[in-house]
Amino acid sequence: MESSSYEFLRGTLKTIVLKLLAEQGRMYGYQITQSVKERTGGEILLTFGALYPVLHKLEQEGMLVTESEEVEGRLRKYYSVTPLGSQTADEKVSEFERFVGLMRILLQSPPDVALGQ
Amino acid sequence: MESSSYEFLRGTLKTIVLKLLAEQGRMYGYQITQSVKERTGGEILLTFGALYPVLHKLEQEGMLVTESEEVEGRLRKYYSVTPLGSQTADEKVSEFERFVGLMRILLQSPPDVALGQ
DNA sequence: TTTGTATATATAAGATAGTTATATATTTTT
DNA sequence: AAAAATATATAACTATCTTATATATACAAA
């Protein structure tokens, strides 16, 4: 990841990956990084060092399943969501919206009481 | 911190603390935790183990200054933002909004193309 | 009276998550 | 022939956060 808003990405990676897979169907690792890059106009760049541990953990937790397929002589590993993964994706998206609501309360500027003066 | 949306809080603590101090003027540690708790209806609970390291780091970075004052026989440490801290608070709030915009692009449900059928 | 709760600041130990660097290998473009 | 893009993955390191601990006062309840 790059750019300045990356500190905020901490903790959102799992949600991004799960939701993307729930929406797009099966994808392989490289494809996930490219999809995130394209959809955000290059502003969010997932690193493999972050992505693969997340994919492996989600697989361990029963959120994802994998199939390996030979494409052009190379093994490619596809990841897709399980029903649990799909449900969790929806839950995490709701939680994120709730979190943004709380953050807005904390970060909003105080109302300018002198405006009517 | 408690509740389920806490994974998303990772990386937002500095922003919350800076913005709160920029807005409210000087505050002491305990007061910051109480203010966050009240404003979020108890949904975000800052722990001291997270708060104090952040306050000390922001002080080191020149974002905050401290004054110690004796209140009811005890020393109380007040933190307030410097001009740099105030400017950084605004920047971080903008960055957060930009980040939320990017997240929405990634997390939005795909348009239901079959609706017109 | 002593136990618990609230107020108040802070550090230490440990866990988790993420970044950067590295290894490996093929295909396509320059 | 070299560089860039495609492709998966691990290792070392760092930052951040959680949980536990230490210290101390004031007040309310049992």
Side-chain angles (χ1 to χ4, degrees):
Chain A
M1 304 174 196
E2 206 205 52
S3 139
S4 54
S5 63
Y6 277 117
E7 42 181 312
F8 299 121
L9 259 174
R10 309 194 125 265
T12 61
L13 230 160
K14 247 176 161 174
T15 303
I16 290 172
V17 169
L18 259 187
K19 176 66 181 173
L20 205 65
L21 285 169
E23 207 182 278
Q24 312 263 49
R26 69 176 206 169
M27 297 174 91
Y28 50 97
Y30 186 80
Q31 192 183 10
I32 293 172
T33 65
Q34 294 308 298
S35 175
V36 168
K37 187 181 172 184
E38 274 168 39
R39 293 174 69 158
T40 62
E43 297 216 56
I44 295 183
L45 303 175
L46 302 187
T47 60
F48 299 114
L51 178 64
Y52 286 112
V54 163
L55 286 172
H56 300 332
K57 194 157 188 222
L58 288 171
E59 193 185 355
Q60 270 172 43
E61 293 170 348
M63 309 275 183
L64 302 181
V65 285
T66 60
E67 325 156 65
S68 288
E69 209 170 282
E70 209 181 298
V71 179
E72 287 158 36
R74 275 179 272 170
L75 265 190
R76 182 179 282 173
K77 205 165 170 185
Y78 282 98
Y79 298 84
S80 43
V81 289
T82 61
L84 174 64
S86 175
Q87 192 196 312
T88 305
D90 287 340
E91 285 166 8
K92 282 188 173 290
V93 171
S94 300
E95 276 168 32
F96 181 74
E97 289 304 332
R98 198 164 76 88
F99 159 73
V100 170
L102 292 172
M103 281 298 284
R104 289 247 164 82
I105 291 171
L106 292 175
L107 300 185
Q108 74 194 191
S109 293
D112 190 341
V113 236
L115 256 186
Q117 195 253 44
Chain B
M1 305 174 195
E2 192 247 19
S3 139
S4 53
S5 62
Y6 275 119
E7 42 181 311
F8 298 122
L9 260 173
R10 308 193 126 266
T12 62
L13 230 160
K14 248 176 160 174
T15 303
I16 291 172
V17 169
L18 260 187
K19 176 67 181 173
L20 205 65
L21 285 169
E23 208 181 279
Q24 312 264 49
R26 68 175 206 170
M27 297 175 92
Y28 51 97
Y30 186 79
Q31 192 183 10
I32 292 172
T33 65
Q34 295 308 297
S35 176
V36 168
K37 186 181 172 184
E38 275 166 38
R39 292 175 69 158
T40 62
E43 297 215 58
I44 294 183
L45 304 175
L46 302 188
T47 60
F48 299 114
L51 178 63
Y52 286 113
V54 163
L55 286 172
H56 300 332
K57 194 159 189 220
L58 288 172
E59 194 185 355
Q60 272 171 42
E61 294 171 348
M63 308 275 183
L64 303 181
V65 284
T66 60
E67 325 158 65
S68 289
E69 209 170 281
E70 207 181 300
V71 179
E72 286 158 34
R74 275 180 272 172
L75 265 191
R76 183 178 283 173
K77 204 165 170 184
Y78 282 98
Y79 298 83
S80 44
V81 289
T82 60
L84 174 64
S86 174
Q87 191 196 312
T88 306
D90 288 340
E91 284 166 8
K92 283 187 173 292
V93 171
S94 300
E95 276 168 30
F96 181 74
E97 290 303 333
R98 199 164 75 90
F99 161 73
V100 171
L102 292 173
M103 281 298 284
R104 289 248 165 82
I105 291 171
L106 292 175
L107 301 184
Q108 74 193 192
S109 293
D112 190 341
V113 235
L115 255 185
Q117 193 256 41

